[in-house]
Amino acid sequence: MKVIEVVSSIAEEASGPAYSVPRLSTELARIGADVRLHVLAPVPAVDAIYRVHAHPRCPFLWRLGISRAMRQALRREGGEVNVIHNHGLWMMPNIYSAQASRGKPCCLVNSPRGTLSTWALGRSAWRKRLLWLLGQGRAVRDSQCFHATAESEYQDIRRARLRGPVAIIPNGIEVPAEVVRNESGPRRVLFLGRIHPVKGIDVLLNAWSQLETRFPEWELRIVGRDQQGYLARMQELTAALGLKRVSFPGPTYGEQKAEEYKKAHLFVLPTHSENFGMAVAEALAWGLPAIVTKGAPWAGLEENGCGWWIEQGVASLVDCLTSALALSPAQMCEKGQRGRLWMKQEFSWERVGRMMYETYSWLLGGGPSPPWIAVN
C-alpha cells in the first residue's frame, strides 16, 4: 500500500499534529505501507523509516501556507499512491491534497484535527468562510472518508453537513515503561500546552486565586509556548491577582518535558475546545490524574477512575480542584496508575496504526467495514 500523509507543519513539537502525524506515519511504515509525508519547511531533524518531503512556502500570505512546490509534488505523486490522507483544514496544503486526488485512482481521507469545532469555527471566521468558498469546501466534500479522534469530533463533522463515513480512531500515545515520581519539593499542579486563548488558562488562574492560600503545599506550573502574545496577558493577570506560587517556565521538549510530568502530581486542562488533547494522554501515561473540562473528549477519565471531566468555568474548576488537592498522595497515585493502564490498553501506537491501516484497506475494497467506522 502506498500512502501520502499531508500536514502543514511538523516544526513545533508541542503541537498535537506535529507529533501525531509523524508518529502515525512511523507505525504505518512498520506495518508495511510505503509512506510519504509532505509538509511545509522547515522540518526538525528526523530519523524516519518513511520519506519526508519538505516544501518551501511563499512569503506572501505566510499563514495560508501557499507552496507551489508542494502543490506540484502532490499532483505528480497523486497518480502513484493508493491513499492521500490530509490532516487539518484552513491552509493551502489541506486544499492541495484534494486537488492531487481528483481524477486519480486513489482515496482521499480527511482528518479535521479540531478545526471544525464550534469554538474553532468562530475564530477568524471571515477568513475561513472565504477559504471555504475558494476551495476548502470542495476539498472536504471530495473525501471518501473522514477521521475523527473522538466521538465529539465525529459530531463536529456531521454538524458541518459532511456525509461520508468517519473512522473514529484516537491519537496514540507512548507509555513510559516505568515512572519514578520525583517527590522532592512542593506538590505541583501542571498545565502543559500552548499558551493560547482556547486553553482556558485565564479560568485556571482565576480558580487558583481562590485556592492558593488554602493549599500552601501546592504550586501551579504553566508550561508551554506563547501564541499570539497571550503569555504576557496571563503573566499580567497573575500579577493582578497577587498570585505567589505560579510559574511560567516556557516551552519544554524531550527529556525536559518528561521531567515536568515526573515532578507533577496533578494535570489540568481547562480548555474551551479540543479535538483530542494530546497532553492529557501524555499526563495519564506518566501516571498523573487529570482534570479536564468538557471542551475536550475525555469522559473516560471518570469511567476509568483516573480523573475528573467537568464543566468549563471558574466555579466548577474551584470545586474540582478543592476535592483533588485534598486527596492523599496514595489516593493520587492510585488514580494515576489506573490512567497508565487505560493508556496501555486503548491508546498504544501499535493499536492506532493498525486501525488506520485497516481503514485504508477497507476503503480500497478490502473486506467488511471495521467496527470503528460510522456511516450515519
Side-chain angles (χ1 to χ4, degrees):
M1 182 188 300
K2 295 181 179 180
V3 179
I4 291 176
E5 303 288 335
V6 180
V7 66
S8 59
S9 175
I10 59 170
E12 299 169 349
E13 183 184 332
S15 168
Y19 162 75
S20 58
V21 177
R23 192 61 186 80
L24 173 63
S25 299
T26 296
E27 202 57 43
L28 290 169
R30 284 180 178 166
I31 294 170
D34 176 358
V35 181
R36 313 168 191 186
L37 175 61
H38 285 259
V39 300
L40 296 172
V43 299
V46 291
D47 183 17
I49 60 173
Y50 52 88
R51 285 177 280 178
V52 181
H53 302 275
H55 306 284
R57 72 171 86 188
C58 173
F60 178 66
L61 296 176
W62 178 266
R63 289 181 61 188
L64 288 180
I66 298 171
S67 174
R68 184 167 176 261
M70 176 183 274
R71 179 168 54 87
Q72 291 177 337
L74 289 174
R75 283 183 171 177
R76 184 171 58 250
E77 294 186 19
E80 303 172 1
V81 300
N82 305 110
V83 176
I84 298 178
H85 187 164
N86 170 71
H87 301 265
L89 303 179
W90 314 124
M91 291 183 68
M92 292 308 298
N94 313 130
I95 296 175
Y96 299 152
S97 303
Q99 291 174 343
S101 71
R102 287 175 195 148
K104 307 287 178 57
C106 65
C107 293
L108 176 66
V109 179
N110 248 306
S111 296
R113 297 287 178 181
T115 57
L116 290 176
S117 72
T118 301
W119 193 93
L121 289 173
R123 307 286 291 184
S124 301
W126 67 269
R127 182 173 69 89
K128 290 170 182 174
R129 283 195 292 268
L130 179 60
L131 273 173
W132 188 265
L133 294 173
L134 292 177
Q136 186 65 89
R138 183 182 176 189
V140 293
R141 288 191 295 270
D142 282 349
S143 305
Q144 279 79 47
C145 183
F146 296 92
H147 163 227
T149 54
E151 177 68 24
S152 60
E153 189 167 37
Y154 163 69
Q155 297 298 335
D156 291 339
I157 292 168
R158 292 302 186 231
R159 270 194 299 272
R161 300 180 181 179
L162 299 172
R163 292 292 131 215
V166 181
I168 305 175
I169 303 173
N171 281 326
I173 188 68
E174 303 282 357
V175 181
E178 182 181 15
V179 176
V180 179
R181 181 119 282 116
N182 188 332
E183 296 292 351
S184 62
R187 295 180 66 72
R188 180 177 293 174
V189 177
L190 174 67
F191 166 91
L192 193 151
R194 295 176 295 140
I195 311 300
H196 184 280
V198 73
K199 300 296 185 178
I201 299 168
D202 57 332
V203 174
L204 175 56
L205 291 171
N206 279 290
W208 187 253
S209 71
Q210 300 183 41
L211 299 168
E212 190 176 62
T213 58
R214 293 168 57 188
F215 295 93
E217 71 277 21
W218 285 87
E219 67 176 16
L220 172 61
R221 193 162 170 90
I222 298 175
V223 179
R225 174 178 53 85
D226 180 31
Q227 282 198 326
Q228 303 179 7
Y230 198 61
L231 172 60
R233 291 170 57 187
M234 294 302 94
Q235 290 171 325
E236 290 169 3
L237 178 59
T238 299
L241 293 170
L243 302 177
K244 305 300 182 185
R245 295 195 309 282
V246 177
S247 58
F248 296 86
T252 58
Y253 308 104
E255 285 301 317
Q256 282 185 318
K257 184 165 74 168
E259 284 299 312
E260 292 291 345
Y261 287 126
K262 288 179 187 177
K263 291 180 179 179
H265 302 85
L266 176 67
F267 182 84
V268 60
L269 178 64
T271 186
H272 294 282
S273 177
E274 209 84 28
N275 71 301
F276 183 74
M278 182 61 69
V280 180
E282 289 179 346
L284 293 169
W286 281 99
L288 290 178
I291 298 173
V292 182
T293 50
K294 292 183 178 179
W298 284 93
L301 288 169
E302 296 189 347
E303 296 166 4
N304 289 276
C306 56
W308 301 262
W309 196 49
I310 65 172
E311 297 295 336
Q312 222 281 339
V314 173
S316 178
L317 187 54
V318 168
D319 288 346
C320 187
L321 279 168
T322 299
S323 299
L325 299 184
L327 294 177
S328 69
Q331 290 172 313
M332 283 282 198
C333 182
E334 184 179 349
K335 281 184 172 292
Q337 289 305 309
R338 288 198 286 264
R340 273 176 56 79
L341 179 61
W342 180 30
M343 293 300 100
K344 287 180 180 179
Q345 290 175 338
E346 294 192 30
F347 292 84
S348 73
W349 270 114
E350 181 180 3
R351 178 174 182 266
V352 168
R354 176 57 62 181
M355 291 171 74
M356 192 64 75
Y357 187 89
E358 291 182 17
T359 299
Y360 295 164
S361 296
W362 168 69
L363 286 170
L364 297 170
S369 169
W372 53 85
I373 300 290
V375 295
N376 297 324

